[in-house]
Amino acid sequence: MTKIAVIGAGSTYTPELVSGLSRERVSVHSLVLHDIDPGRLEVVGGLAQRMLDRQGFGGSLELTGDLDRALDGADFVLVQIRVGGQAARLQDETLPLACGCIGQETTGAGGLAKALRTVPVVLEIAERTRELAAPEAWIVDFTNPVGIVTRALLDAGHRAVGLCNVAITLQRRCAALLEVEPRRIVVDQVGLNHLTWVRAVRFDGRDVLAELLAAHGDTLADEVGLPRRLLDELGALPSYYLRYFYAHDEVFEEQRDGEPRAVTVAQIESELLELYRDPDLTEKPALLEQRGGAWYSEAASGLVSSLVTDDGAVHEVDVRNEGTLAGLSDDDVVEVPARVGKNGPVPLPQAPLAPELLGLVQHVAAYERLAVRAALDGDPVTVRKALLAHPLVGQWAPTEELFERMFAGVLEAA
């Protein structure tokens, strides 16, 4: 029997996540949803309960604002918090623009600000998990920036794995284009969290990426916002986060003249919560698909199932490199496909990255190392070094300005 605690359960993703967890091949006897916002938790938890009732779930669902109660005896702790809420996200996306830098909540200056706010909080949750949860409990982190947060957890000795929805979303997209069942597709996506390329798409074990690009390259290029020619010359499919690097100036102009994504998301969240209040609603509304994070519930429930059942299924996860990608340190955290059993993920062997991929990965890996250090020691010098190391900043003048506008207050608050 398994107890699962979801921390940050006020998320509008939670009902779908809970529904997915209850359907997996895991004997879940207890689901505990924790959030620091009681009103939001009540609304989200209400829909989650109705969805479980509709499925005939035989276990219990508990809502609580008491972290220790949520963690007590838990076998899995799923962390999906957003420190500072959508207001902090809006700052992460807009303040860098005034300094001539792209504003994004998981990478660049905005990603660093989020890491500084988030890492200490997640580590506090992890320490309580170590003290209160089951002895072999797993922490599954979906909290962004996932690579940095997972690295901090592993550096502190926690039994943790990072999870992102980018790969499973692409797997579902490739399956749709090929008109086959998703379970027959394995997406070989490699790199760092939010800095990945798909170098192979295996359909029943056979790599069909070249065929996909030939038949659907224009569609795939449009979906990641990059030129078709770039995909052909790379011989790989970049994640849409690579657009911040490969089309930097174009993205900057769009952000400077457009509405921040945070504003759109806040509106969607408000509408979703209003829908969730409907006592007759027993399934996720279509609007949730506009929120982002598609297929997260499937990714999370599938990963938990493999960790429990030891089925050896392949999942895209964030783990220690340990020699998987040549040119990176063993203690770097990479995002790669891994075979998952009860002892955790074992990355699949990977060919070396091509130079045009490796150089960028090494650059950002160095930044992530500094970002974790900055989040732990709060040293302004380390923060400025992290900004300098990131390819989306990389110059002294914006580094100084960014520090004063975004980071001085964060460090003082910490």
Side-chain angles (χ1 to χ4, degrees), residues 39-60:
R40 188 172 174 124
L41 181 61
E42 181 181 5
V43 172
V44 171
L47 175 57
Q49 183 67 70
R50 294 193 297 275
M51 291 175 72
L52 291 176
D53 290 344
R54 183 186 180 190
Q55 293 170 204
F57 176 58
S60 66

Side-chain angles (χ1 to χ4, degrees), residues 123 189 228 278:
L123 289 179
Q189 176 178 287
R228 164 70 183 275
D278 180 357

Side-chain angles (χ1 to χ4, degrees), residues 106-108 147 164 166 189-198 237-246 316 318 325 328 333-336 353 356-368 390-392:
T106 64
T107 189
C164 181
V166 171
Q189 176 178 287
V190 298
L192 308 178
N193 178 243
H194 289 185
L195 193 82
T196 51
W197 297 261
V198 173
L237 179 59
S239 84
Y240 50 82
Y241 286 95
L242 265 299
R243 188 166 185 262
Y244 296 112
F245 299 84
Y246 290 156
E316 187 82 15
D318 289 81
L325 294 179
L328 297 179
V333 168
V334 295
E335 190 166 288
V336 294
L353 293 171
E356 64 273 16
L357 311 185
L358 179 60
L360 185 53
V361 169
Q362 289 174 323
H363 203 160
V364 177
Y367 150 77
E368 291 192 346
H390 201 290
L392 297 182

Side-chain angles (χ1 to χ4, degrees), residues 225-286:
L226 292 167
R228 164 70 183 275
R229 182 178 174 183
L230 173 60
L231 275 59
D232 290 337
E233 293 191 353
L234 290 175
L237 179 59
S239 84
Y240 50 82
Y241 286 95
L242 265 299
R243 188 166 185 262
Y244 296 112
F245 299 84
Y246 290 156
H248 177 281
D249 294 352
E250 181 181 348
V251 171
F252 178 77
E253 293 297 327
E254 291 171 357
Q255 289 187 339
R256 189 179 61 181
D257 299 335
E259 182 175 79
R261 172 66 177 164
V263 173
T264 304
V265 169
Q267 180 60 37
I268 293 171
E269 290 257 287
S270 177
E271 294 177 19
L272 282 171
L273 290 171
E274 190 59 35
L275 291 172
Y276 287 8
R277 289 185 174 91
D278 180 357
D280 295 323
L281 183 67
T282 59
E283 59 185 6
K284 70 172 183 177

Side-chain angles (χ1 to χ4, degrees), residues 1 16 145 158 167 193 250 359 365 381:
M1 302 293 281
E16 183 183 11
H158 297 289
N193 178 243
E250 181 181 348
V381 173

Side-chain angles (χ1 to χ4, degrees), residues 370-405:
L370 288 164
V372 172
R373 190 184 306 166
L376 296 178
D377 65 23
D379 181 9
V381 173
T382 309
V383 173
R384 287 192 286 268
K385 285 180 178 179
L387 289 168
L388 276 175
H390 201 290
L392 297 182
V393 183
Q395 300 182 74
W396 177 247
T399 292
E400 279 196 302
E401 189 175 1
L402 283 164
F403 183 82
E404 294 302 323
R405 285 176 176 264

Side-chain angles (χ1 to χ4, degrees), residues 23-34:
R23 290 194 302 265
E24 284 294 335
R25 297 171 299 138
V26 179
S27 182
V28 179
H29 76 280
S30 175
L31 285 163
V32 183
L33 308 184
H34 171 272

